[in-house]
Amino acid sequence: MDKLMGQLKRQIIERLNLKDLKPEDIGDDQPLFVEGLGLDSIDALELIVLLQQDYHIKLDKAEDGPKVFHSVRTMADYITKHSPAKKAS
Amino acid sequence: MQVYIRSSGNISPQHSLEKDLFFAHREMQDGNRWHAVEPEYSRYVDSKMIRRMSRIVRMGVAASKACLDEAEVRMPSGIVTGTAYGCLEDTGIFLRRMIDNQEELLTPTAFIQSTHNTVGAQIALLLKCHGYNNTIVHRGFSFENALMDAMLLLREGMDNVLAGAIDEITEDSHAILSRFGLYIPAIDNPEITAKTHKGSVAGEGASFFLLSSQEIHGARAILRGISTIYKPESLAGVESRIHAFLKESSVLSDGIGLVLSGANGDGDHDEIDNYLSATAFRNKTIVPFKQLCGEYPTASGFALWLAVLLISEQKTPDWLPNVSFPLRNILIHNHYDNNHHALYLISAC
Protein backbone atom coordinates (compact mmCIF):
# COMPACT_ATOMS: atom_id res chain seq x y z
CA MET A 1 0.00 0.00 0.00
CA ASP A 2 2.81 2.45 0.93
CA LYS A 3 4.55 1.70 -2.36
CA LEU A 4 1.35 2.34 -4.29
CA MET A 5 0.69 5.60 -2.43
CA GLY A 6 4.24 6.80 -3.19
CA GLN A 7 3.75 5.95 -6.84
CA LEU A 8 0.39 7.77 -6.92
CA LYS A 9 1.91 10.90 -5.40
CA ARG A 10 4.60 10.98 -8.09
CA GLN A 11 2.00 10.43 -10.81
CA ILE A 12 -0.30 13.16 -9.45
CA ILE A 13 2.59 15.64 -9.36
CA GLU A 14 3.64 14.79 -12.89
CA ARG A 15 0.15 14.59 -14.40
CA LEU A 16 -1.11 17.79 -12.79
CA ASN A 17 2.19 19.65 -13.25
CA LEU A 18 2.52 20.43 -9.54
CA LYS A 19 6.16 21.39 -9.96
CA ASP A 20 6.52 23.06 -6.58
CA LEU A 21 5.56 19.87 -4.74
CA LYS A 22 7.57 16.78 -3.82
CA PRO A 23 5.87 13.44 -3.10
CA GLU A 24 6.63 13.83 0.61
CA ASP A 25 4.72 17.13 0.65
CA ILE A 26 1.46 15.27 0.01
CA GLY A 27 0.04 13.59 3.08
CA ASP A 28 -1.46 10.11 2.73
CA ASP A 29 -4.78 11.32 4.17
CA GLN A 30 -4.58 14.96 3.04
CA PRO A 31 -7.69 15.95 1.07
CA LEU A 32 -6.78 16.40 -2.60
CA PHE A 33 -9.48 18.91 -3.41
CA VAL A 34 -10.41 22.39 -2.20
CA GLU A 35 -9.02 22.87 1.32
CA GLY A 36 -6.30 20.28 0.93
CA LEU A 37 -4.11 20.23 -2.15
CA GLY A 38 -6.47 22.71 -3.84
CA LEU A 39 -7.28 20.62 -6.91
CA ASP A 40 -10.36 21.45 -8.99
CA SER A 41 -12.82 19.83 -11.40
CA ILE A 42 -10.37 19.82 -14.33
CA ASP A 43 -7.88 17.97 -12.13
CA ALA A 44 -10.61 15.46 -11.27
CA LEU A 45 -10.91 14.60 -14.97
CA GLU A 46 -7.13 14.21 -15.18
CA LEU A 47 -7.23 11.81 -12.21
CA ILE A 48 -10.03 9.75 -13.77
CA VAL A 49 -7.94 9.39 -16.93
CA LEU A 50 -4.88 8.52 -14.80
CA LEU A 51 -6.81 5.65 -13.19
CA GLN A 52 -7.98 4.41 -16.54
CA GLN A 53 -4.68 4.75 -18.41
CA ASP A 54 -2.21 3.64 -15.80
CA TYR A 55 -4.30 1.19 -13.74
CA HIS A 56 -6.95 0.11 -16.27
CA ILE A 57 -9.67 0.98 -13.82
CA LYS A 58 -12.83 2.72 -14.94
CA LEU A 59 -14.79 4.52 -12.27
CA ASP A 60 -18.10 2.62 -12.22
CA LYS A 61 -20.26 5.34 -10.74
CA ALA A 62 -19.55 9.05 -11.13
CA GLU A 63 -21.05 9.70 -7.68
CA ASP A 64 -18.24 7.62 -6.14
CA GLY A 65 -15.73 10.24 -7.36
CA PRO A 66 -15.58 12.43 -4.24
CA LYS A 67 -14.99 9.36 -2.05
CA VAL A 68 -12.43 7.71 -4.34
CA PHE A 69 -10.45 10.92 -4.95
CA HIS A 70 -10.66 12.22 -1.40
CA SER A 71 -7.00 11.46 -0.65
CA VAL A 72 -4.07 9.44 -1.91
CA ARG A 73 -5.00 6.68 0.54
CA THR A 74 -8.61 6.43 -0.74
CA MET A 75 -7.31 6.31 -4.30
CA ALA A 76 -4.85 3.56 -3.40
CA ASP A 77 -7.64 1.64 -1.63
CA TYR A 78 -9.85 1.86 -4.69
CA ILE A 79 -7.04 0.76 -7.00
CA THR A 80 -6.21 -2.20 -4.74
CA LYS A 81 -9.84 -3.33 -4.64
CA HIS A 82 -10.60 -2.77 -8.31
CA SER A 83 -7.38 -3.67 -10.11
CA PRO A 84 -8.09 -6.04 -13.02
CA ALA A 85 -5.89 -8.71 -11.42
CA LYS A 86 -7.91 -8.56 -8.21
CA LYS A 87 -11.20 -8.69 -10.14
CA ALA A 88 -10.03 -11.75 -12.08
CA SER A 89 -9.26 -13.59 -8.86
CA MET B 1 -7.57 58.68 -34.66
CA GLN B 2 -4.66 59.02 -32.26
CA VAL B 3 -4.42 57.24 -28.93
CA TYR B 4 -2.11 57.50 -25.96
CA ILE B 5 0.12 54.61 -24.95
CA ARG B 6 0.18 54.71 -21.19
CA SER B 7 2.46 51.74 -20.64
CA SER B 8 3.93 48.66 -22.27
CA GLY B 9 5.23 45.22 -21.36
CA ASN B 10 7.26 42.94 -23.57
CA ILE B 11 8.88 39.53 -23.62
CA SER B 12 11.14 38.83 -26.58
CA PRO B 13 14.50 37.27 -27.45
CA GLN B 14 15.95 40.39 -25.79
CA HIS B 15 15.85 41.36 -22.10
CA SER B 16 12.87 43.53 -22.89
CA LEU B 17 10.97 42.95 -19.67
CA GLU B 18 13.72 44.75 -17.77
CA LYS B 19 14.56 48.12 -19.25
CA ASP B 20 17.95 48.50 -17.61
CA LEU B 21 19.10 45.11 -18.81
CA PHE B 22 17.80 45.83 -22.31
CA PHE B 23 19.78 49.05 -22.54
CA ALA B 24 22.88 47.40 -21.13
CA HIS B 25 23.03 44.20 -23.09
CA ARG B 26 21.99 42.87 -26.47
CA GLU B 27 21.19 39.20 -26.36
CA MET B 28 22.76 37.33 -29.29
CA GLN B 29 21.48 33.82 -29.94
CA ASP B 30 22.94 31.19 -32.22
CA GLY B 31 20.97 29.27 -34.80
CA ASN B 32 17.80 30.09 -36.69
CA ARG B 33 15.41 29.92 -33.77
CA TRP B 34 15.59 32.70 -31.22
CA HIS B 35 13.94 31.88 -27.92
CA ALA B 36 12.24 34.51 -25.82
CA VAL B 37 14.16 35.47 -22.69
CA GLU B 38 11.64 34.41 -20.09
CA PRO B 39 11.39 35.78 -16.57
CA GLU B 40 10.82 33.98 -13.31
CA TYR B 41 7.06 33.76 -13.82
CA SER B 42 6.23 33.44 -10.13
CA ARG B 43 7.05 37.18 -9.94
CA TYR B 44 4.00 37.82 -12.11
CA VAL B 45 1.58 34.96 -11.55
CA ASP B 46 0.60 32.88 -8.53
CA SER B 47 2.60 29.66 -8.80
CA LYS B 48 -0.61 27.63 -8.35
CA MET B 49 -2.04 29.31 -11.45
CA ILE B 50 1.10 28.76 -13.54
CA ARG B 51 0.87 24.98 -13.61
CA ARG B 52 -1.74 24.81 -16.37
CA MET B 53 -0.26 27.61 -18.44
CA SER B 54 1.84 26.77 -21.46
CA ARG B 55 4.81 28.96 -22.39
CA ILE B 56 2.86 31.33 -24.64
CA VAL B 57 0.20 31.85 -21.98
CA ARG B 58 2.86 32.58 -19.37
CA MET B 59 4.58 35.03 -21.70
CA GLY B 60 1.33 36.81 -22.47
CA VAL B 61 0.17 36.96 -18.87
CA ALA B 62 3.55 38.22 -17.61
CA ALA B 63 3.87 40.88 -20.35
CA SER B 64 0.31 42.10 -19.71
CA LYS B 65 0.91 42.20 -15.95
CA ALA B 66 4.13 44.19 -16.44
CA CYS B 67 2.21 46.59 -18.69
CA LEU B 68 -0.63 47.15 -16.21
CA ASP B 69 1.79 47.46 -13.28
CA GLU B 70 3.73 50.16 -15.08
CA ALA B 71 0.56 52.22 -15.54
CA GLU B 72 -0.61 51.31 -12.02
CA VAL B 73 -3.91 50.22 -13.51
CA ARG B 74 -5.55 47.20 -11.96
CA MET B 75 -8.49 46.78 -14.30
CA PRO B 76 -8.59 47.65 -18.00
CA SER B 77 -11.99 48.32 -19.58
CA GLY B 78 -11.30 45.80 -22.32
CA ILE B 79 -8.71 43.30 -23.51
CA VAL B 80 -7.84 42.68 -27.16
CA THR B 81 -5.15 40.27 -28.26
CA GLY B 82 -3.74 39.39 -31.65
CA THR B 83 -2.05 36.13 -32.52
CA ALA B 84 -1.37 34.36 -35.79
CA TYR B 85 -0.30 30.93 -34.61
CA GLY B 86 -2.20 30.76 -31.32
CA CYS B 87 -1.26 28.33 -28.60
CA LEU B 88 0.80 25.89 -30.64
CA GLU B 89 2.39 23.97 -27.80
CA ASP B 90 -0.92 22.85 -26.29
CA THR B 91 -2.37 22.23 -29.74
CA GLY B 92 0.54 19.85 -30.36
CA ILE B 93 0.06 18.12 -27.01
CA PHE B 94 -3.67 17.72 -27.59
CA LEU B 95 -3.26 16.34 -31.12
CA ARG B 96 -0.44 14.01 -30.11
CA ARG B 97 -2.57 12.57 -27.30
CA MET B 98 -5.44 12.06 -29.71
CA ILE B 99 -3.17 9.94 -31.87
CA ASP B 100 -1.40 8.12 -29.02
CA ASN B 101 -4.65 7.29 -27.21
CA GLN B 102 -6.55 6.53 -30.39
CA GLU B 103 -8.99 9.35 -29.72
CA GLU B 104 -9.92 8.00 -26.31
CA LEU B 105 -9.11 9.04 -22.75
CA LEU B 106 -8.45 12.64 -23.67
CA THR B 107 -7.91 15.02 -20.78
CA PRO B 108 -9.29 18.53 -21.03
CA THR B 109 -6.33 20.66 -20.00
CA ALA B 110 -4.37 20.81 -23.26
CA PHE B 111 -7.53 21.20 -25.32
CA ILE B 112 -8.84 24.04 -23.18
CA GLN B 113 -5.50 25.83 -23.47
CA SER B 114 -5.06 25.21 -27.19
CA THR B 115 -7.52 27.79 -28.47
CA HIS B 116 -6.23 31.08 -29.84
CA ASN B 117 -8.06 33.17 -27.25
CA THR B 118 -6.46 31.43 -24.25
CA VAL B 119 -4.05 34.27 -23.48
CA GLY B 120 -6.72 36.99 -23.52
CA ALA B 121 -9.02 34.76 -21.49
CA GLN B 122 -6.36 33.95 -18.88
CA ILE B 123 -5.55 37.62 -18.42
CA ALA B 124 -9.24 38.35 -17.91
CA LEU B 125 -9.60 35.45 -15.45
CA LEU B 126 -6.63 36.58 -13.39
CA LEU B 127 -7.84 40.19 -13.32
CA LYS B 128 -11.50 39.16 -12.92
CA CYS B 129 -12.12 41.50 -15.84
CA HIS B 130 -15.63 41.04 -17.22
CA GLY B 131 -15.23 43.70 -19.90
CA TYR B 132 -14.84 43.35 -23.64
CA ASN B 133 -12.50 40.49 -24.56
CA ASN B 134 -11.59 39.62 -28.10
CA THR B 135 -8.77 37.85 -29.93
CA ILE B 136 -7.96 38.67 -33.53
CA VAL B 137 -6.39 35.95 -35.68
CA HIS B 138 -5.40 37.38 -39.03
CA ARG B 139 -1.95 36.13 -40.02
CA GLY B 140 0.45 39.05 -40.52
CA PHE B 141 -2.24 41.58 -39.57
CA SER B 142 -3.31 39.98 -36.28
CA PHE B 143 -1.72 42.65 -34.10
CA GLU B 144 -2.67 45.54 -36.37
CA ASN B 145 -6.31 44.49 -36.33
CA ALA B 146 -6.22 44.01 -32.56
CA LEU B 147 -4.92 47.56 -32.22
CA MET B 148 -7.57 48.87 -34.58
CA ASP B 149 -10.25 47.08 -32.56
CA ALA B 150 -8.85 48.68 -29.40
CA MET B 151 -8.81 52.11 -31.04
CA LEU B 152 -12.45 51.72 -32.09
CA LEU B 153 -13.39 50.80 -28.52
CA LEU B 154 -11.66 53.94 -27.28
CA ARG B 155 -13.50 55.97 -29.87
CA GLU B 156 -16.77 54.52 -28.56
CA GLY B 157 -15.89 55.85 -25.12
CA MET B 158 -13.99 53.12 -23.29
CA ASP B 159 -11.50 54.48 -20.74
CA ASN B 160 -8.54 52.27 -21.44
CA VAL B 161 -7.92 49.09 -23.38
CA LEU B 162 -5.19 46.52 -22.96
CA ALA B 163 -4.04 45.45 -26.42
CA GLY B 164 -1.37 42.90 -27.16
CA ALA B 165 0.28 40.46 -29.51
CA ILE B 166 1.60 37.00 -28.78
CA ASP B 167 3.13 34.27 -30.85
CA GLU B 168 5.37 31.36 -29.97
CA ILE B 169 7.57 29.03 -31.93
CA THR B 170 7.66 25.38 -30.87
CA GLU B 171 9.78 22.40 -31.90
CA ASP B 172 6.99 21.20 -34.19
CA SER B 173 6.14 24.54 -35.76
CA HIS B 174 9.81 25.33 -36.31
CA ALA B 175 10.34 21.99 -38.03
CA ILE B 176 7.25 22.43 -40.23
CA LEU B 177 7.95 26.06 -41.15
CA SER B 178 11.60 25.18 -41.87
CA ARG B 179 10.34 22.77 -44.52
CA PHE B 180 8.65 25.73 -46.22
CA GLY B 181 12.02 27.47 -46.39
CA LEU B 182 11.10 30.22 -43.92
CA TYR B 183 14.34 30.02 -41.96
CA ILE B 184 18.00 30.35 -42.91
CA PRO B 185 19.36 26.77 -42.89
CA ALA B 186 22.83 27.69 -41.60
CA ILE B 187 23.27 31.05 -39.96
CA ASP B 188 26.76 32.42 -39.34
CA ASN B 189 25.91 35.94 -38.20
CA PRO B 190 23.06 37.11 -35.96
CA GLU B 191 23.11 40.44 -37.84
CA ILE B 192 20.57 38.89 -40.19
CA THR B 193 20.19 41.92 -42.45
CA ALA B 194 23.94 42.30 -42.99
CA LYS B 195 23.61 40.07 -46.02
CA THR B 196 20.77 38.38 -47.84
CA HIS B 197 19.84 34.75 -47.30
CA LYS B 198 17.08 32.41 -48.21
CA GLY B 199 14.73 32.75 -45.27
CA SER B 200 15.12 34.49 -41.95
CA VAL B 201 15.26 33.61 -38.26
CA ALA B 202 12.29 32.37 -36.22
CA GLY B 203 11.34 34.66 -33.39
CA GLU B 204 8.61 34.85 -30.77
CA GLY B 205 7.32 37.14 -28.12
CA ALA B 206 4.52 38.90 -26.26
CA SER B 207 3.85 42.64 -26.36
CA PHE B 208 1.15 44.48 -24.43
CA PHE B 209 0.10 48.13 -24.39
CA LEU B 210 -2.38 50.03 -22.27
CA LEU B 211 -4.13 52.49 -24.57
CA SER B 212 -6.22 55.48 -23.66
CA SER B 213 -8.02 58.09 -25.74
CA GLN B 214 -7.34 60.81 -23.17
CA GLU B 215 -3.97 62.34 -22.48
CA ILE B 216 -3.02 61.11 -19.03
CA HIS B 217 -0.05 62.39 -17.08
CA GLY B 218 2.80 59.97 -17.51
CA ALA B 219 1.62 58.62 -20.87
CA ARG B 220 4.67 57.31 -22.69
CA ALA B 221 3.88 57.97 -26.35
CA ILE B 222 1.18 58.80 -28.84
CA LEU B 223 0.15 56.32 -31.47
CA ARG B 224 -0.75 58.74 -34.26
CA GLY B 225 -2.02 56.15 -36.68
CA ILE B 226 -1.82 52.69 -38.20
CA SER B 227 -2.26 51.70 -41.80
CA THR B 228 -2.11 48.32 -43.50
CA ILE B 229 -1.44 47.35 -47.09
CA TYR B 230 -2.20 43.85 -48.30
CA LYS B 231 -0.21 42.52 -51.25
CA PRO B 232 0.91 45.85 -52.68
CA GLU B 233 0.86 45.99 -56.45
CA SER B 234 4.20 47.76 -56.77
CA LEU B 235 7.16 49.05 -54.81
CA ALA B 236 6.22 52.61 -55.73
CA GLY B 237 2.70 51.89 -54.47
CA VAL B 238 4.06 51.23 -50.96
CA GLU B 239 6.15 54.38 -51.13
CA SER B 240 3.17 56.51 -52.09
CA ARG B 241 1.10 54.93 -49.28
CA ILE B 242 3.83 55.89 -46.82
CA HIS B 243 3.75 59.51 -48.02
CA ALA B 244 -0.06 59.55 -47.84
CA PHE B 245 0.03 58.03 -44.34
CA LEU B 246 2.40 60.72 -43.10
CA LYS B 247 0.33 63.43 -44.75
CA GLU B 248 -2.86 62.13 -43.09
CA SER B 249 -1.02 62.23 -39.77
CA SER B 250 0.20 65.79 -40.48
CA VAL B 251 3.84 64.78 -40.09
CA LEU B 252 6.40 65.77 -42.67
CA SER B 253 8.85 63.16 -43.83
CA ASP B 254 11.64 65.36 -42.43
CA GLY B 255 10.03 65.04 -39.01
CA ILE B 256 10.71 61.30 -38.82
CA GLY B 257 13.74 60.79 -36.60
CA LEU B 258 13.92 57.02 -36.86
CA VAL B 259 12.51 54.26 -39.02
CA LEU B 260 12.03 50.81 -37.54
CA SER B 261 12.10 48.53 -40.53
CA GLY B 262 10.76 44.98 -40.77
CA ALA B 263 13.63 43.91 -43.06
CA ASN B 264 14.66 40.41 -42.08
CA GLY B 265 17.47 39.50 -44.47
CA ASP B 266 15.30 37.22 -46.58
CA GLY B 267 16.44 37.72 -50.16
CA ASP B 268 13.07 36.58 -51.52
CA HIS B 269 11.21 39.43 -49.84
CA ASP B 270 13.67 42.28 -49.30
CA GLU B 271 13.20 44.11 -52.59
CA ILE B 272 10.75 46.46 -50.90
CA ASP B 273 13.16 47.18 -48.04
CA ASN B 274 15.97 48.03 -50.45
CA TYR B 275 13.63 50.19 -52.50
CA LEU B 276 12.34 52.15 -49.51
CA SER B 277 15.88 52.64 -48.16
CA ALA B 278 16.71 54.40 -51.41
CA THR B 279 13.45 56.39 -51.67
CA ALA B 280 11.04 57.12 -48.81
CA PHE B 281 13.61 56.39 -46.09
CA ARG B 282 16.65 57.90 -47.84
CA ASN B 283 18.88 59.80 -45.38
CA LYS B 284 16.96 58.41 -42.42
CA THR B 285 18.30 56.32 -39.58
CA ILE B 286 16.89 52.84 -40.14
CA VAL B 287 16.94 50.11 -37.52
CA PRO B 288 15.91 46.65 -38.74
CA PHE B 289 14.16 45.55 -35.55
CA LYS B 290 13.96 41.89 -36.52
CA GLN B 291 17.67 41.66 -35.78
CA LEU B 292 16.52 41.81 -32.19
CA CYS B 293 13.34 39.74 -32.13
CA GLY B 294 13.44 37.48 -35.19
CA GLU B 295 10.60 36.99 -37.67
CA TYR B 296 7.07 36.07 -36.67
CA PRO B 297 3.65 37.29 -37.78
CA THR B 298 3.11 39.64 -34.83
CA ALA B 299 6.69 40.98 -34.68
CA SER B 300 5.34 44.51 -35.15
CA GLY B 301 4.31 44.27 -31.46
CA PHE B 302 8.02 44.23 -30.62
CA ALA B 303 8.64 47.17 -32.96
CA LEU B 304 5.91 49.20 -31.27
CA TRP B 305 7.32 48.34 -27.84
CA LEU B 306 10.81 49.43 -28.99
CA ALA B 307 9.46 52.66 -30.46
CA VAL B 308 7.61 53.50 -27.24
CA LEU B 309 10.74 52.78 -25.20
CA LEU B 310 13.10 54.89 -27.33
CA ILE B 311 10.72 57.82 -27.66
CA SER B 312 9.75 57.90 -23.99
CA GLU B 313 13.27 57.43 -22.65
CA GLN B 314 14.81 59.69 -25.31
CA LYS B 315 17.86 57.50 -25.46
CA THR B 316 19.08 54.43 -27.32
CA PRO B 317 21.21 51.53 -26.14
CA ASP B 318 24.89 51.84 -27.08
CA TRP B 319 24.48 48.86 -29.37
CA LEU B 320 21.93 50.61 -31.62
CA PRO B 321 23.09 53.04 -34.29
CA ASN B 322 23.26 56.72 -33.48
CA VAL B 323 19.90 58.41 -33.42
CA SER B 324 19.50 62.17 -33.18
CA PHE B 325 17.71 63.51 -30.14
CA PRO B 326 15.26 64.86 -29.31
CA LEU B 327 13.38 62.11 -31.05
CA ARG B 328 9.87 63.33 -31.85
CA ASN B 329 8.52 60.80 -34.35
CA ILE B 330 9.23 57.16 -35.19
CA LEU B 331 7.82 55.42 -38.24
CA ILE B 332 7.49 51.64 -38.25
CA HIS B 333 7.26 49.85 -41.55
CA ASN B 334 6.80 46.14 -41.10
CA HIS B 335 5.97 43.50 -43.63
CA TYR B 336 5.41 39.80 -43.36
CA ASP B 337 6.57 37.99 -46.50
CA ASN B 338 5.94 41.18 -48.49
CA ASN B 339 2.21 40.41 -48.31
CA HIS B 340 1.14 42.06 -45.10
CA HIS B 341 2.55 45.57 -44.81
CA ALA B 342 1.90 47.75 -41.79
CA LEU B 343 2.74 51.35 -40.98
CA TYR B 344 2.74 52.88 -37.49
CA LEU B 345 3.49 56.44 -36.52
CA ILE B 346 4.55 57.03 -32.92
CA SER B 347 5.15 60.48 -31.48
CA ALA B 348 6.54 61.78 -28.22
CA CYS B 349 3.98 63.15 -25.75
Side-chain angles (χ1 to χ4, degrees):
Chain A
M1 183 68 124
D2 285 348
K3 197 176 159 197
L4 178 57
M5 286 197 290
Q7 181 176 298
L8 273 172
K9 288 174 189 177
R10 284 192 297 278
Q11 287 173 315
I12 289 170
I13 287 170
E14 194 198 329
R15 187 69 74 114
L16 305 183
N17 203 20
L18 301 165
K19 281 179 182 160
D20 291 341
L21 288 182
K22 295 190 193 90
E24 54 269 31
D25 296 332
I26 304 175
D28 297 344
D29 298 300
Q30 181 184 4
L32 294 176
F33 290 84
V34 195
E35 80 275 19
L37 212 52
L39 305 186
D40 58 23
S41 57
I42 296 174
D43 296 314
L45 288 168
E46 295 279 359
L47 293 181
I48 289 169
V49 172
L50 185 152
L51 273 194
Q52 214 163 332
Q53 267 182 340
D54 296 359
Y55 297 96
H56 309 288
I57 295 172
K58 201 169 174 182
L59 205 61
D60 294 330
K61 295 182 217 153
E63 57 268 29
D64 287 345
K67 219 163 36 179
V68 174
F69 297 115
H70 175 73
S71 66
V72 171
R73 189 185 299 281
T74 56
M75 278 182 78
D77 269 345
Y78 192 81
I79 290 167
T80 309
K81 285 175 192 157
H82 293 79
S83 70
K86 180 94 179 169
K87 272 186 177 174
S89 66
Chain B
M1 181 196 180
Q2 71 173 32
V3 296
Y4 292 86
I5 300 177
R6 294 181 60 182
S7 61
S8 63
N10 184 277
I11 291 178
S12 72
Q14 300 299 319
H15 292 277
S16 44
L17 205 55
E18 293 183 53
K19 251 183 262 173
D20 293 345
L21 258 179
F22 177 77
F23 277 107
H25 172 72
R26 177 180 171 188
E27 189 71 16
M28 304 282 248
Q29 299 190 30
D30 295 328
N32 64 5
R33 179 183 169 189
W34 292 351
H35 299 258
V37 176
E38 294 179 74
E40 178 54 57
Y41 287 112
S42 55
R43 279 169 48 200
Y44 298 92
V45 197
D46 185 320
S47 54
K48 274 187 186 161
M49 307 290 285
I50 291 175
R51 69 189 174 95
R52 281 205 197 106
M53 295 180 182
S54 66
R55 214 164 59 86
I56 186 174
V57 180
R58 291 174 194 200
M59 286 198 291
V61 166
S64 66
K65 177 84 168 47
C67 176
L68 291 172
D69 285 352
E70 186 181 270
E72 296 179 356
V73 167
R74 205 188 69 78
M75 187 69 72
S77 310
I79 300 167
V80 191
T81 54
T83 178
Y85 295 141
C87 299
L88 288 174
E89 189 181 312
D90 273 324
T91 303
I93 291 170
F94 172 64
L95 292 175
R96 192 163 285 121
R97 281 187 191 157
M98 275 184 80
I99 295 164
D100 291 347
N101 299 342
Q102 299 180 314
E103 300 184 22
E104 288 184 349
L105 296 174
L106 297 173
T107 54
T109 308
F111 173 66
I112 293 169
Q113 306 277 329
S114 69
T115 56
H116 284 66
N117 61 350
T118 305
V119 177
Q122 279 289 353
I123 295 167
L125 277 171
L126 290 169
L127 296 174
K128 297 187 171 54
C129 174
H130 300 282
Y132 182 93
N133 196 304
N134 201 4
T135 295
I136 315 283
V137 180
H138 196 158
R139 301 181 76 179
F141 285 155
S142 302
F143 179 53
E144 285 72 18
N145 287 340
L147 273 181
M148 286 183 206
D149 192 18
M151 290 163 90
L152 289 171
L153 291 170
L154 293 171
R155 182 184 282 182
E156 286 173 2
M158 233 178 227
D159 284 345
N160 51 51
V161 179
L162 182 67
I166 48 270
D167 267 308
E168 67 173 335
I169 192 93
T170 64
E171 289 294 327
D172 288 336
S173 70
H174 184 259
I176 292 165
L177 295 172
S178 294
R179 274 188 241 148
F180 297 148
L182 261 64
Y183 307 128
I184 306 164
I187 184 165
D188 54 5
N189 182 0
E191 302 288 348
I192 51 174
T193 57
K195 62 179 184 182
T196 55
H197 322 79
K198 177 140 186 61
S200 187
V201 165
E204 61 182 5
S207 311
F208 275 85
F209 305 89
L210 188 67
L211 307 175
S212 165
S213 58
Q214 304 295 320
E215 183 169 12
I216 288 168
H217 178 70
R220 298 188 57 207
I222 304 168
L223 178 59
R224 300 277 288 269
I226 315 174
S227 183
T228 56
I229 314 159
Y230 182 61
K231 287 191 175 175
E233 286 179 9
S234 66
L235 303 176
V238 178
E239 185 192 3
S240 62
R241 283 290 295 273
I242 290 171
H243 290 306
F245 175 67
L246 292 177
K247 197 174 170 188
E248 280 165 25
S249 310
S250 307
V251 171
L252 296 170
S253 179
D254 288 346
I256 302 296
L258 174 67
V259 174
L260 295 179
S261 158
N264 66 6
D266 183 351
D268 287 347
H269 300 298
D270 67 353
E271 199 183 0
I272 184 65
D273 304 306
N274 297 334
Y275 177 83
L276 292 175
S277 301
T279 55
F281 304 154
R282 193 177 53 210
N283 301 325
K284 301 216 172 298
T285 304
I286 303 172
V287 171
F289 64 86
K290 286 173 185 168
Q291 297 211 139
L292 304 173
C293 67
E295 179 64 284
Y296 56 103
T298 51
S300 44
F302 177 84
L304 182 58
W305 170 82
L306 183 60
V308 170
L309 180 74
L310 300 182
I311 216 158
S312 60
E313 298 287 325
Q314 289 291 314
K315 66 175 184 180
T316 50
D318 293 339
W319 43 267
L320 271 184
N322 291 332
V323 178
S324 300
F325 290 98
L327 184 56
R328 298 300 308 165
N329 299 296
I330 297 177
L331 177 68
I332 298 171
H333 167 250
N334 185 33
H335 69 92
Y336 189 70
D337 286 352
N338 199 21
N339 286 330
H340 300 76
H341 288 253
L343 300 167
Y344 297 68
L345 182 62
I346 299 97
S347 297
C349 287

